Amino acid sequence: MATTKITLLPLYEKIWEKHKFSRFMDSITLLLLLMLLSYRLCSLYNFFTLPSFLALLCESWFTFTFLTTISTKWTPSHTRTYLNRLFLRVPHLPPVDLFVTTADPVLEPPIITVNTVLSLLALDYPSNKLSCYVSDDGCSPHTFYALVEASKFAKLWVPFCKKFNVQVRAPFRYFSGDSKAYNSDIPGFKQQRLKMKEEYELLCQKIQNADKKSIPCELVDEFADFSETQQRNHPTIVKVIWENKEGVSNGVPHLIYISREKRPEHPHHYKAGAMNVLTRVSGLLTNAPFMLNVDCDMYVNNPEVVLHALCILLDSNGEKEVAFVQCPQRFYDAVKDDAFGNQQVALPLYIGSGFAGLQGIIYAGTNCFHRRKVIYGKSPDLDIQNGNKDHVFINGILSEKEKTKTFGNSKGFVKSAASALEQKTFVSNDNSIHLDHEEVNKVSSCEYEYNTAWGKQVGWIYGSTSEDVLTGLRFHTKGWRSEFCTTDPIAFRGCSPQDSIGQMAQHKRWSSGLLEIFLSKHCPIFGTLFGKLQLRECLAYIWITTWALRSVPEICYALLPAYCIITNSTFLPNQGAGLWIPATLVLIYNVSTLLEQVLSGLSIRTWWNNQRMARITTMNSCSFGFLAIILKQLRISDTVFEITKKEEPSSSDDGNSGRFTFNESPIFLPGITILLVQLTALVINFSIRRGSNTHYGFGEVFCSAYVVLCYLPFLKGLFGRGKYGIPLSTICKSTLLAFLFVQLCRSQSS
């Protein structure tokens, strides 16, 4: 009787959070912004000035942006899963396909990919229900060699992890000394752990020795396919590195290597294209109803994460409504006090949980569990009940021609897609892999997707370098929900950019790709008007897809105080009630963000670094992201998918951790120019105009000094050396731009 009651209970529940203080502070901030706008309008009506008009435009944008922020944060939630109920409800767990993507063996060293793969192979889940696919878009024999060697080590590592219940199952983290799961009281543990460490060190040595060579080994036998390949010009290579033929539940899962065909004359659609090939190849080989995709640096930190995700996906309501389950990103290589503002600790707690309280969290491109049938274009079951059936997934109604037009001309894949859409692959007694090279090569070819629905209605959606957000938006527009799976310990951990150059490049790619979505037919506004995207979810998507647009008002607002000092004008009220509105606004906003960071367990220094980096990345990275999209819209140039460099695991610290590094990239030009303009304005204020009659007040001087403080790393870079110094050519260009701005200001004041 008790068992029956438990099986009727939900597998997960949504816990709604209050965050009353955050709501109160955000409401006060919004009220002050509206009061400031009202004051601006009244002032402009009586006395129009160019600085005040520009300030009104900028502050209007800030108010709108904050409105989308407060709407996103207003109803936060998180999920609580019940694994005990899952085992009672689902005696036969479904198969899960695991996808790992890597694209460059130099920027993404094979040892990092290997650790991620090993952590996936050792998941607390029946091994005969798991299949791990590694997509190598770099077509690197080094990556393939590393995976072959890793599969040998996995035969020792996986049983060791499961026998001793190892918590952290990425070897480099487990043996780094940070892991707490030593289980030293278990007989024989210390000896086996020492043996594992020696085996892992031997594996690392093999991979490192191979990386030093142009080719890792003699290109014969299974390596022969790499003998005449180039990174962007090669045929399909699919290798079953390890096959769990016996179907042993506690053995090593299938491990398959895939390098899709690439030709210079055919677009390959970056990561989205790789994910679609993984989907098709896995559909032919294992066709699991659920898929997990992770980046090559995101190792499993909680070995039960698949079970937690399935609690949501297999729940009675989740099965009908939830398209994907997103786990948060955390990083293991945090620089002290988050010097580059990229650790994303407080963001998931407030914005992430806020998204979760709406139609669902965005798809972040990694650490995400998908339903295969949703990837294939199926709409929520609610549509079927209402009679609004999606033509893509109704088997038996579509003609063979229509199936081919949707999924491509592979009969084997069309058959597997039909089975997945009807959920016929839930239980399978056959654990062997039947590799049909002709079919696999066909679905991995460059031309397979032509005249099909791939990238448009089926699979990962093309049209943006932020293919993850675009694909998730597509699901939400069709009426699906998503859930935010927060586990303890955190499900995944990865590496973040370890220098300012990588951080700026990453934000440029994000901002340009997101703006590309906003300006396309997939714009969230259209999703609400013509689709099933809820209004507040639409506002949340607008908040994230307009990152690049924020660069324009932020740069303008940052230059306004300097402009006013140079021209002896004002844009801030200097007396009366108007003086206290912006002053109180600045105070309330900073106190609010500071408390959010502190309550998240972060330091005051971390809060400041995040505030500073928000200004730097918006005015530099986002401005170039904005420019890149403008040039693309004008058909002058196309956007480029820039891979973020992943650092190899290392515990060394040369004392320069957190210092800004610079190169000759133009991405630093806006920041250096703004800094030089502010310094010029402050010199004018404290020397030329000292004691003279001025129209501007303390507000303009304070704002100018604040901008300089935000750009303190750039100021240090002006006097730094080597990679920590700004190149002379960049300084000269910025000096010229600053000089032109000052001269323009002087011409306006004369």
Side-chain angles (χ1 to χ4, degrees), residues 92 106 133 317 362 412 414 490 560 585 589 599 603 607 638 698:
H92 301 288
V106 177
Y133 295 83
N317 289 325
I362 61 170
V414 169
I490 202 74
L560 268 178
L585 176 60
Y589 175 77
L599 291 174
S603 65
W607 163 78
D638 203 354
F698 173 77

Side-chain angles (χ1 to χ4, degrees), residues 165-470:
N165 193 27
V166 173
Q167 181 62 46
V168 179
R169 300 189 179 181
F172 84 98
R173 291 298 290 169
Y174 180 71
F175 295 120
S176 67
D178 295 335
S179 176
K180 298 178 181 178
Y182 284 162
N183 298 323
S184 56
D185 296 332
I186 301 177
F189 170 75
K190 290 183 178 180
Q191 293 82 355
Q192 291 203 37
R193 183 179 185 276
L194 182 60
K195 179 184 177 181
M196 283 297 104
K197 188 174 183 180
E198 292 173 351
E199 291 290 340
Y200 177 66
E201 289 172 350
L202 180 61
L203 171 65
C204 292
Q205 191 63 45
K206 288 181 180 179
I207 294 173
Q208 288 169 4
N209 290 338
D211 287 344
K212 294 175 183 177
K213 306 174 185 177
S214 58
I215 54 175
C217 59
E218 191 175 354
L219 298 180
V220 295
D221 298 329
E222 58 186 350
F223 291 90
D225 291 338
F226 295 92
S227 58
E228 296 181 1
T229 60
Q230 300 175 13
Q231 189 170 1
R232 293 177 177 82
N233 188 12
H234 60 84
T236 295
I237 300 176
V238 177
K239 300 283 187 181
V240 179
I241 297 176
W242 171 254
E243 183 179 359
N244 186 355
K245 294 181 180 179
E246 292 80 14
V248 180
S249 61
N250 59 350
V252 178
H254 301 316
L255 178 59
I256 301 99
Y257 171 91
I258 301 173
S259 185
R260 59 185 170 132
E261 182 187 19
K262 279 189 178 180
R263 301 299 178 191
E265 64 272 17
H266 294 284
H268 56 82
H269 302 293
Y270 309 111
K271 184 179 175 181
M275 292 302 301
N276 283 336
V277 170
L278 280 172
T279 303
R280 293 194 293 270
V281 172
S282 65
L284 285 171
L285 300 184
T286 49
N287 206 28
F290 303 106
M291 305 177 293
L292 163 66
N293 89 277
V294 297
D295 288 342
C296 66
D297 62 307
M298 282 286 171
Y299 70 84
V300 176
N301 191 62
N302 185 334
E304 294 183 329
V305 61
V306 176
L307 299 173
H308 286 286
L310 289 181
C311 283
I312 299 172
L313 292 167
L314 295 178
D315 182 77
S316 56
N317 289 325
E319 278 194 304
K320 299 176 183 178
E321 302 174 357
V322 178
F324 62 90
V325 174
Q326 177 68 55
C327 298
Q329 297 187 44
R330 289 290 190 278
F331 304 100
Y332 59 81
D333 55 354
V335 176
K336 185 180 179 182
D337 295 322
D338 195 9
F340 304 119
N342 56 12
Q343 294 306 302
Q344 299 180 15
V345 176
L347 189 69
L349 292 178
Y350 293 92
I351 296 295
S353 60
F355 262 104
L358 303 176
Q359 197 172 345
I361 186 71
I362 61 170
Y363 168 37
T366 183
N367 311 346
C368 189
F369 293 84
H370 302 270
R371 290 188 194 277
R372 187 178 288 271
K373 65 180 182 180
V374 176
I375 294 293
Y376 288 167
K378 187 174 183 180
S379 296
D381 289 347
L382 182 63
D383 281 359
I384 299 177
Q385 296 171 5
N386 295 337
N388 181 20
K389 297 184 178 181
D390 194 325
H391 75 280
V392 170
F393 62 84
I394 302 176
N395 188 40
I397 295 179
L398 283 178
S399 65
E400 290 300 319
K401 183 177 180 180
E402 288 172 319
K403 291 177 184 177
T404 301
K405 189 175 181 180
T406 301
F407 295 112
N409 60 2
S410 167
K411 293 182 179 179
F413 177 74
V414 169
K415 182 179 178 180
S416 77
S419 297
L421 290 166
E422 295 177 352
Q423 294 185 288
K424 291 181 178 179
T425 57
F426 200 87
V427 178
S428 176
N429 296 320
D430 185 8
N431 201 62
S432 60
I433 291 180
H434 306 286
L435 182 59
D436 186 333
H437 284 283
E438 182 180 350
E439 286 289 286
V440 166
N441 289 339
K442 179 185 288 186
V443 299
S444 305
S445 67
C446 295
E447 299 178 350
Y448 182 80
E449 294 180 350
Y450 290 164
N451 300 316
T452 70
W454 286 100
K456 296 184 281 289
Q457 288 88 33
V458 173
W460 273 253
I461 307 301
Y462 302 150
S464 169
T465 52
S466 293
E467 79 296 322
D468 43 13
V469 176
L470 176 56

Side-chain angles (χ1 to χ4, degrees), residues 42 88-89 266 299 327 484 505 512 601 690 695 714:
C42 294
L88 290 172
R89 182 85 59 83
H266 294 284
Y299 70 84
C327 298
F484 197 35
S512 61
R690 187 176 183 182
H695 295 291
F714 284 57

Side-chain angles (χ1 to χ4, degrees), residues 706-724:
Y706 175 81
V707 175
V708 172
L709 192 60
C710 287
Y711 278 97
L712 188 59
F714 284 57
L715 182 59
K716 293 179 180 178
L718 291 174
F719 305 99
R721 293 182 178 181
K723 65 179 182 180
Y724 301 110

Side-chain angles (χ1 to χ4, degrees), residues 545-678:
T545 55
T546 55
W547 273 2
L549 289 180
R550 298 175 201 174
S551 61
V552 177
E554 284 221 18
I555 289 176
C556 180
Y557 211 72
L559 290 172
L560 268 178
Y563 174 88
C564 291
I565 293 172
I566 296 169
T567 60
N568 195 20
S569 57
T570 182
F571 81 101
L572 290 172
N574 294 324
Q575 58 185 357
L579 173 64
W580 295 105
I581 295 175
T584 308
L585 176 60
V586 170
L587 178 64
I588 292 293
Y589 175 77
N590 282 283
V591 169
S592 175
T593 54
L594 174 61
L595 288 175
E596 286 184 354
Q597 297 275 333
V598 170
L599 291 174
S600 302
L602 304 175
S603 65
I604 295 177
R605 182 64 180 271
T606 303
W607 163 78
W608 167 247
N609 287 336
N610 277 267
Q611 293 297 305
R612 178 190 67 187
M613 285 305 300
R615 305 287 74 76
I616 291 175
T617 53
T618 300
M619 292 186 229
N620 293 271
S621 304
C622 293
S623 64
F624 271 82
F626 174 73
L627 180 62
I629 297 304
I630 294 299
L631 293 176
K632 181 178 181 178
Q633 295 293 322
L634 296 175
R635 301 181 184 277
I636 296 175
S637 66
D638 203 354
T639 52
V640 178
F641 189 97
E642 299 179 53
I643 301 172
T644 305
K645 183 179 180 181
K646 276 77 174 179
E647 301 286 350
E648 291 194 53
S650 174
S651 58
S652 62
D653 187 357
D654 59 2
N656 290 315
S657 178
R659 286 187 64 182
F660 268 60
T661 54
F662 302 90
N663 58 15
E664 294 186 351
S665 169
I667 203 168
F668 295 104
L669 274 175
I672 302 167
T673 303
I674 290 169
L675 174 63
L676 293 175
V677 168
Q678 303 298 338

